[in-house]
Amino acid sequence: MKEPGVLRYGTRSIAADYARAAFGAVACLAPPLLVDVTAVLAWILVAVGALFVAFGLRTLLRHLTVYELSPEGIRAAGPLGASVSWKNMTAVNLAYFQTRPRRKVIVKSPGGWMELTLREDRQTIKIDSSLQGFDDVVGEAARVARERGLTLNPVTLANLEAMGFVHAPVEGEEILS
């Protein structure tokens, strides 16, 4: 593993999410306040506007959270802090979410993002691929999962392979074909 480090979401990523949240909230919440709209349309706009406000609050939480990666584990220091130690980690899931039609699968393309979920008992840390140092966290989680013999789902295995982290079997582990 590389030296311990402090990881944050990039300024560009956070700023873009704040802009999306603000634009969506204003576009949805302004019409019911400024013009006469039917009650049904007003409720629909307010409901969708509330989703944009929730997205803005989620972005604020991501902005305020700092991740500390160390040989002992990973810790999220922020309003909803959590920590997962490598020796007690119970699950690793790596998912890819696509935002464009599938033509070619390109990891970390502009058409999607990845999300890593790490669990230890009741503690869960979720990070996405816009986190600076995401690859380091994925690599360390894959290494620890392999060493500890954790069972990884086929989607996680395929995504690890696509990122270049081959999940080689531990001694005595069978390779499923």
Side-chain angles (χ1 to χ4, degrees):
M1 183 180 131
K2 294 182 178 181
E3 289 186 32
V6 175
L7 312 171
R8 292 181 172 85
Y9 283 97
T11 306
R12 178 179 279 169
S13 171
I14 292 291
D17 285 349
Y18 277 132
R20 287 181 197 100
F23 177 79
V26 169
C28 291
L29 298 175
L33 296 173
L34 300 176
V35 295
D36 189 26
V37 295
T38 65
V40 172
L41 180 59
W43 281 108
I44 291 170
L45 288 171
V46 168
V48 174
L51 291 174
F52 280 104
V53 170
F55 177 69
L57 292 173
R58 179 185 157 272
T59 301
L60 177 63
L61 288 174
R62 288 175 63 211
H63 189 186
L64 296 175
T65 302
V66 174
Y67 296 88
E68 299 167 2
L69 180 62
S70 73
E72 291 78 37
I74 185 167
R75 181 174 165 265
L80 301 176
S83 65
V84 172
S85 70
W86 300 128
K87 69 179 182 177
N88 296 323
M89 186 171 63
T90 57
V92 177
N93 290 304
L94 182 61
Y96 178 68
F97 298 94
Q98 201 169 303
T99 57
R100 294 188 181 154
R102 178 178 232 143
R103 292 201 179 103
K104 289 183 179 178
V105 177
I106 301 173
V107 175
K108 293 177 71 173
S109 72
W113 75 94
M114 297 193 97
E115 180 181 82
L116 177 68
T117 304
L118 304 171
R119 284 193 183 85
E120 173 190 336
D121 298 324
R122 294 184 183 156
Q123 297 281 314
T124 300
I125 292 181
K126 284 188 178 190
I127 59 173
D128 67 50
S129 52
S130 64
L131 180 76
Q132 296 171 340
F134 179 78
D135 290 1
D136 294 335
V137 179
V138 171
E140 188 63 11
R143 183 190 67 76
V144 171
R146 182 179 59 250
E147 286 178 359
R148 296 198 52 233
L150 295 179
T151 302
L152 303 178
N153 67 48
V155 171
T156 296
L157 290 170
N159 287 328
L160 286 172
E161 186 176 337
M163 287 185 71
F165 300 110
V166 178
H167 185 74
V170 181
E171 186 178 326
E173 181 181 46
E174 288 185 38
I175 299 175
L176 299 174
S177 49

